[in-house]
């Protein structure tokens, strides 16, 4: 008879019980789930650190596997929601662009971007959900130089993904 109770307590300790009737959380406020939980479709807040600049390079190429779940534009900052495996080492992200604009079928400017992920040799298999933010200022400056205007819009396409965005400045 004690086995089911013991199993329940072990399970509760492993999963973290919350709520007013919890044996481990009595009198404490429930803690929010960690950010590595399942991806959410709600608006994403930009990470506290400063956005990394968009890097212009002649031959942008992806590095380690990454799934781009979505993007949100917050002024000149692109916030990308990504998913990949890992969990044992720090991961880094770069947003790369070859510096050229293409024309869409509707005649609007497009930029093909590459979101590069460096897993730093992390072979762990936890499924991680992260956000990374990037400053799109270099893209706007290049558009202004080429089009001799202050305000414009560029359709953002991401290599290897169906995710798109529209950057207006």
């Amino acid at each position: 008879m004690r086995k089911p109770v013991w199993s329940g307590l072990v399970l509760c300790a492993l999963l973290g019980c919350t709520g007013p009737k919890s044996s481990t959380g009595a009198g404490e406020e429930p803690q929010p789930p960690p950010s590595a939980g399942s991806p959410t479709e709600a608006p994403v807040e930009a990470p506290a650190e400063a956005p990394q600049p968009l890097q212009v390079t002649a031959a942008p190429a992806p590095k380690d596997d990454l799934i781009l779940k979505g993007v949100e534009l917050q002024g000149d900052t692109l916030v990308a929601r990504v998913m990949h495996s890992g969990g044992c080492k720090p991961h880094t992200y770069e947003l790369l662009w070859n510096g050229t604009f293409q024309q869409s079928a509707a005649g609007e400017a497009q930029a093909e971007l590459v979101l590069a992920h460096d897993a730093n040799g992390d072979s762990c298999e936890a499924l991680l959900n992260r956000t990374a933010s990037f400053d799109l200022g270099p893209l706007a400056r290049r558009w202004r130089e080429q089009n001799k205007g202050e305000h414009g819009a560029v359709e953002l396409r991401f290599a290897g993904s169906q995710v798109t965005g529209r950057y207006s400045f």
Side-chain angles (χ1 to χ4, degrees), residues 68 71 78 95 112-113 115 156-165:
L68 180 60
V71 296
L78 174 87
L95 189 61
E112 179 81 17
L113 305 175
L115 184 54
L156 305 177
R157 299 200 162 281
F158 297 87
S161 175
Q162 296 297 317
V163 173
T164 62

Side-chain angles (χ1 to χ4, degrees), residues 12-89:
C12 183
L14 290 173
L15 297 176
C17 296
T18 60
K21 295 184 181 181
S22 168
S23 61
T24 59
E28 297 177 11
E29 290 293 317
Q31 297 296 317
S35 62
S38 62
T40 175
E41 297 304 319
V44 176
E45 291 185 31
E49 68 238 17
Q52 297 179 20
L54 169 69
Q55 295 180 28
V56 180
T57 181
K63 295 179 183 177
D64 294 320
D65 289 340
L66 168 88
I67 297 171
L68 180 60
K69 301 296 286 182
V71 296
E72 183 177 316
L73 288 146
Q74 300 173 353
D76 290 329
T77 301
L78 174 87
V79 180
R81 292 189 326 268
V82 299
M83 184 169 59
H84 54 77
S85 64
C88 296
K89 295 183 180 180

Side-chain angles (χ1 to χ4, degrees), residues 93-108:
Y93 313 95
E94 297 174 307
L95 189 61
L96 309 173
W97 177 48
N98 68 3
T100 64
F101 295 104
Q102 296 81 34
Q103 293 294 321
S104 70
E108 294 184 351

